[in-house]
């Protein structure tokens, strides 16, 4: 969800610290092997949903052949949240504090262990010390990335900017952050300890997600569920499972509501993370439940 924060948000953090004084084949289920989906409703042109994935270090991803025609022929382009500099500064302002909350909340030993994990994601020590614990937790749900990699939805945003196509966001900054802000501090520390103890296994899971995405196997991609089973002690898994289920359900409700306008206009192209899209409780199922026709698009049927 948050891999795209890296390219612009690091600059935004620095700004904040300065301010502080420092043809589609029809499918009836979500199990079809596809990353692009055609969304149709009565009396309007179809729109297109691209499932995206976080790209771990050592990997690069090119869009599949079926994606380009949908993107080029779209009139409106959307991503999960605004990717411009103003929004990134707003996001950074919410995530950091001049009081060094992360260093104070974690204690010296835990903080020393988490600092290199955040640095590997592009957040240097002068930034990470000022993160709220929930913000550090959120950032650690993204894999380490190569600096040269442009996240998929960042690329889509750049394309919208360069082509002057109207751009929209599916969520506000507040909606993106609220699920993590709502986690009590004691449980944030549990999550952070789990990240520290299981980095190698989690990075391996991110690489497996990437391999599944290349095969258009969205059903195998679920970073939050993988974190639950790989990293969390059994005694902590129940509340986390309930949290991620509620998080997904609330996001879908908000996304379907926000999508009514662009889908009503037609010819919209938008991105949503693969984990949010997949499954009987995913966005594709929610769109079907709202009355939209949803079909998978394969390379053989790539012409819109």
């Amino acid at each position: 969800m948050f891999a795209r924060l890296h390219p612009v948000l690091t600059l935004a953090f620095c700004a904040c610290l300065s301010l502080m004084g420092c043809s589609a084949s029809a499918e009836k289920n979500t199990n079809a092997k596809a990353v692009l989906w055609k969304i149709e409703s009565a009396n309007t042109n179809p729109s297109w949903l691209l499932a995206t994935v976080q790209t771990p270090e050592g990997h690069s991803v090119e869009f599949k052949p079926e994606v380009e025609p949908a993107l080029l022929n779209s009139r409106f382009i959307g991503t999960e949240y605004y990717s411009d500099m103003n929004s990134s500064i707003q996001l950074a302002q919410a995530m950091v504090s001049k009081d060094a909350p992360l260093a104070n909340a974690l204690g010296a030993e835990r903080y020393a262990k988490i600092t290199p994990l955040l640095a590997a994601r592009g957040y240097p020590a002068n930034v990470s010390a000022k993160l709220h614990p929930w913000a550090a937790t959120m950032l650690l749900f993204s894999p380490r990335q190569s600096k040269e990699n442009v996240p998929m939805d960042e690329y889509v945003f750049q394309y919208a900017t360069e082509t002057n196509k109207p751009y929209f966001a599916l969520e506000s900054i507040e909606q993106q952050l609220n699920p993590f802000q709502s986690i009590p501090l004691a449980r944030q520390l549990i999550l952070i300890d789990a990240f520290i103890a299981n980095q190698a296994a989690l990075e391996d899971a991110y690489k497996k997600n990437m391999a599944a995405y290349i095969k258009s196997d969205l059903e195998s991609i679920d970073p939050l569920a993988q974190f639950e089973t790989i990293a969390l002690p059994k005694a902590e898994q129940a509340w986390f499972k309930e949290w991620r289920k509620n998080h997904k359900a609330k996001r879908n409700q908000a996304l379907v509501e926000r999508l009514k306008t662009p889908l009503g206009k037609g010819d919209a192209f938008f991105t949503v993370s693969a984990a949010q899209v997949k499954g009987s409780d995913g966005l594709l199922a929610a769109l079907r439940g709202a009355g939209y026709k949803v079909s998978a698009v394969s390379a053989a049927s790539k012409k819109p």
Side-chain angles (χ1 to χ4, degrees):
M1 179 190 310
F2 300 98
R4 63 191 175 282
L5 299 181
H6 174 69
V8 178
L9 188 54
T10 300
L11 295 175
F13 272 128
C14 292
C16 287
L17 294 178
S18 177
L19 290 173
M20 289 175 190
C22 34
S23 141
S25 58
E27 298 289 346
K28 295 183 179 180
N29 57 68
T30 57
N31 295 320
K33 287 186 177 292
V35 299
L36 182 69
W37 299 81
K38 185 178 181 180
I39 316 296
E40 298 176 274
S41 58
N43 303 317
T44 188
N45 291 338
S47 292
W48 311 89
L49 185 164
L50 174 65
T52 60
V53 71
Q54 298 170 332
T55 307
E57 190 176 37
H59 289 259
S60 61
V61 170
E62 295 182 4
F63 289 109
K64 291 179 178 290
E66 61 267 31
V67 173
E68 184 177 359
L71 182 59
L72 294 178
N73 291 313
S74 63
R75 293 189 298 129
F76 308 97
I77 294 179
T79 57
E80 290 182 42
Y81 83 101
Y82 286 108
S83 297
D84 62 6
M85 177 60 82
N86 287 338
S87 296
S88 295
I89 289 175
Q90 178 188 351
L91 179 59
Q93 288 174 331
M95 293 171 65
V96 301
S97 168
K98 63 182 179 181
D99 298 325
L102 189 64
N104 293 335
L106 268 57
E109 183 178 354
R110 186 187 280 121
Y111 179 69
K113 292 178 180 178
I114 200 175
T115 301
L117 303 184
L118 292 168
R121 288 158 176 80
Y123 304 96
N126 65 322
V127 172
S128 60
K130 300 179 185 297
L131 288 170
H132 292 289
W134 62 262
T137 301
M138 183 183 75
L139 294 173
L140 289 173
F141 276 114
S142 296
R144 291 182 301 226
Q145 292 182 292
S146 301
K147 292 182 179 180
E148 61 272 14
N149 276 356
V150 177
M152 291 182 182
D153 39 8
E154 179 68 21
Y155 176 89
V156 170
F157 168 74
Q158 291 176 3
Y159 173 78
T161 302
E162 292 168 1
T163 57
N164 293 316
K165 291 188 176 184
Y167 170 76
F168 61 94
L170 297 178
E171 291 181 304
S172 66
I173 297 297
E174 292 79 8
Q175 287 171 315
Q176 286 265 318
L177 300 184
N178 181 259
F180 295 91
Q181 291 172 323
S182 69
I183 301 174
L185 177 59
R187 285 179 169 164
Q188 292 173 25
L189 299 181
I190 290 169
L191 297 179
I192 287 172
D193 285 340
F195 281 116
I196 291 172
N198 296 280
Q199 267 302 290
L202 291 171
E203 287 297 327
D204 185 59
Y206 290 132
K207 292 176 182 178
K208 290 178 180 177
N209 286 342
M210 188 75 260
Y213 185 84
I214 292 171
K215 296 177 182 178
S216 299
D217 178 15
L218 300 192
E219 289 302 309
S220 298
I221 301 172
D222 199 342
L224 292 179
Q226 291 165 341
F227 175 82
E228 175 192 319
T229 56
I230 291 173
L232 276 183
K234 288 186 177 180
E236 306 296 338
Q237 292 179 5
W239 72 263
F240 185 80
K241 182 176 182 178
E242 187 66 20
W243 173 83
R244 66 179 177 83
K245 284 177 63 178
N246 290 338
H247 170 43
K248 188 172 184 179
K250 289 179 180 178
R251 286 196 76 213
N252 278 337
Q253 185 178 23
L255 291 174
V256 170
E257 188 63 30
R258 288 287 188 97
L259 283 167
K260 288 180 179 178
T261 297
L263 293 179
K265 295 177 180 178
D267 294 319
F269 180 100
F270 58 98
T271 64
V272 180
S273 60
Q276 188 70 30
V277 165
K278 55 162 269 186
S280 59
D281 61 345
L283 181 59
L284 298 177
L287 287 168
R288 290 189 178 101
Y292 296 96
K293 180 182 177 182
V294 180
S295 15
V297 181
S298 65
S301 59
K302 64 183 178 180
K303 185 177 180 180

